[in-house]
């Protein structure tokens, strides 16, 4: 008998930012796989087994979860944000394609969640207000030349740019290189939003013009949004400024 | 006394797809503004006034909601999906910038939700698995030449492309023109996902190669995702195929 695998987006922070669907799938699971800090966001209960793994072993983790589901268990796998955005859903699909043919018969559900760029945008105002793109700065999974090409194309075409995985100990220079590259096309005045751990108690939001944007402001829990020439800042007395990109868009 | 305005993302469908935060903000509101079909998704209750408006009068609607909040009311404004993605949050920020200076003191909260491309991607597998962009095909708000430029740039740089507002009675030809343009760069084999009303009872998902993608398959409630040369289809016996874009990405 084949079980079920639900790949669940936990959203940006605690349960307050989860959908009812995500809660229902978590409540129905017998086993939950995921990176430790995401598992910690799910309350312990009798009958629930948590299986933590390293964040870099995505394909192995996907295979283990599929094998458990194929054995008849109700299995969940959790990602922060949305599972389809630089997270586990693609690894699970890849494991289904490459793994045991029996895995193709598993009842597989992908449960969407609020991905980090939406949470950071909401905290800042509406910086993603017109066309935008999402780029992961991790070059574990693609050559840096591809990242450069995409950054330049996006800036030249007038997309707002959301940067995921901007920096880590193993990737210390990429965000600074991205800022330098983007200044060539965008100039120094466009607003940059740094959103760290938005939706969590240690959340921090900051805004800087691209000329002053400093990679030191980011860490692994940060998402960076780079506006366009049209992005605006609205000052508010006693409140954080609003950053928004108008719905109307001229020639880029 | 100044009130509060919460701009709330309802997610793709009914309450099952909303966050707990969205539910809490809806429960606390005295007045809810929005486009009629979105207001219909919020349960009626004593003490709650719903104010429907035409979907095209975004700035007027934003101003009315801000004026009510400035008068001391607890006001909500609802968008389908996420309010920051081709929805009301940017119009509200614009109204704050251009309107009564007193509006800058309003307690303004933007409450994120699951935007349509995440819901459609989850229903299909993981087509947004690597870098991607979101483009609105509405040219009410920008010249068609800007849309063409962004489509071409995105395809050439290897972004998966999510198309919002693909078609309407007033814009019947744009989606067909977009497919024709993209075939020049991408060829005919890349997978196209049409997701209609995902998360609702009348949901419908279909997949076609770009060569056969037909604008007639889309309506106003459809979101379209166009893969890259790397996007894959995994056939499953008795189940819908999975569409996913690998996390690894070669040169584009």
């Amino acid at each position: 008998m084949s079980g079920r695998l639900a790949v669940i987006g936990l959203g940006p922070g605690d349960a307050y930012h989860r959908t009812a669907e995500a809660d229902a799938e978590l409540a129905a699971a017998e086993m939950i796989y995921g990176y430790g800090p995401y598992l910690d966001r799910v309350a312990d209960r009798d009958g629930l087994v948590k299986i933590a793994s390293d964040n870099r072993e995505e394909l192995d983790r996907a295979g283990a979860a599929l094998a458990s589901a194929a054995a008849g268990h109700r299995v969940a796998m959790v990602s922060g944000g949305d599972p389809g955005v630089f997270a586990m859903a693609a690894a699970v699909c890849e494991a289904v394609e490459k793994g045991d043919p029996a895995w193709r018969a598993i009842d597989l559900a992908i449960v969407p969640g609020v991905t980090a760029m939406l949470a950071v945008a909401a905290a800042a105002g509406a910086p993603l207000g017109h066309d935008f793109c999402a780029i992961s700065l991790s070059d574990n999974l693609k050559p840096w030349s591809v990242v450069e090409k995409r950054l330049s194309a996006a800036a030249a075409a007038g997309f707002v740019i959301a940067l995921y995985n901007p920096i880590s100990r193993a990737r210390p220079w990429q965000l600074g290189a991205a800022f330098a590259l983007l200044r060539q096309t965008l100039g120094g005045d466009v607003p940059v939003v740094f959103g760290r751990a938005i939706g969590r108690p240690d959340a921090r939001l900051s805004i800087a013009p691209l000329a002053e944007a400093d990679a030191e402001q980011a860490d692994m829990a940060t998402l960076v949004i780079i506006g366009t020439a049209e992005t605006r800042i609205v000052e508010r007395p006693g409140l954080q400024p609003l950053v928004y990109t108008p719905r109307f868009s001229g020639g880029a």
Side-chain angles (χ1 to χ4, degrees), chain A:
Chain A
M1 199 213 90
S2 183
R4 176 177 171 88
L5 173 60
V7 185
I8 302 170
L10 297 180
D14 62 18
Y16 197 53
H17 302 97
R18 258 181 232 158
T19 66
E21 183 182 20
D23 284 339
E25 291 283 359
L26 289 170
E30 302 163 30
M31 310 171 73
I32 305 195
Y33 287 81
Y35 176 48
Y38 299 142
L39 288 181
D40 292 344
R41 296 195 205 165
V42 179
D44 289 312
R45 60 177 159 78
D46 283 349
L48 179 68
V49 178
K50 291 180 174 178
I51 301 149
S53 57
D54 188 285
N55 204 20
R56 290 163 298 186
E57 297 162 354
E58 293 188 341
L59 202 60
D60 290 348
R61 190 194 312 158
L66 285 161
S68 293
H73 294 290
R74 286 196 63 115
V75 182
M77 170 171 293
V78 292
S79 285
D82 178 83
V85 177
F86 309 119
M88 284 304 301
V92 168
C93 291
E94 186 180 339
V96 170
E97 183 180 29
K98 296 180 176 169
D100 185 337
W103 294 353
R104 297 188 184 219
I106 290 170
D107 178 15
L108 175 66
I110 316 281
V111 179
V114 172
T115 184
M117 70 178 161
L118 303 184
V120 171
L128 304 177
H130 70 197
D131 302 331
F132 62 93
C133 66
I135 298 175
S136 169
L137 283 195
S138 169
D139 60 359
N140 298 336
L141 299 174
K142 64 196 165 198
W144 180 250
S145 61
V146 171
V147 177
E148 287 183 318
K149 176 177 178 171
R150 289 182 184 162
L151 288 168
S152 294
F159 287 98
V160 178
I161 299 170
L163 297 179
Y164 281 76
N165 306 314
I167 203 160
S168 73
R169 251 170 297 180
R171 293 179 287 100
W173 57 266
Q174 283 83 344
L175 181 60
F179 287 150
L181 184 71
L182 291 171
R183 281 184 203 112
Q184 295 174 19
T185 306
L186 296 173
D189 292 337
V190 307
V192 178
V193 177
F194 294 83
R196 185 186 179 283
I198 298 298
R200 307 211 288 276
D202 53 339
R204 192 173 67 225
L205 191 86
S206 63
I207 302 164
L210 182 54
E212 292 165 28
D214 180 354
E216 301 277 320
Q217 292 172 263
D219 66 10
M220 277 181 67
T222 304
L223 181 123
V224 179
I225 296 176
I226 297 146
T228 68
E230 297 167 282
T231 304
R232 301 186 60 76
I233 295 179
V234 185
E235 297 294 340
R236 298 186 297 170
L239 293 171
Q240 169 195 286
L242 292 174
V243 182
Y244 82 99
T245 306
R247 306 158 297 148
F248 289 86
S249 183

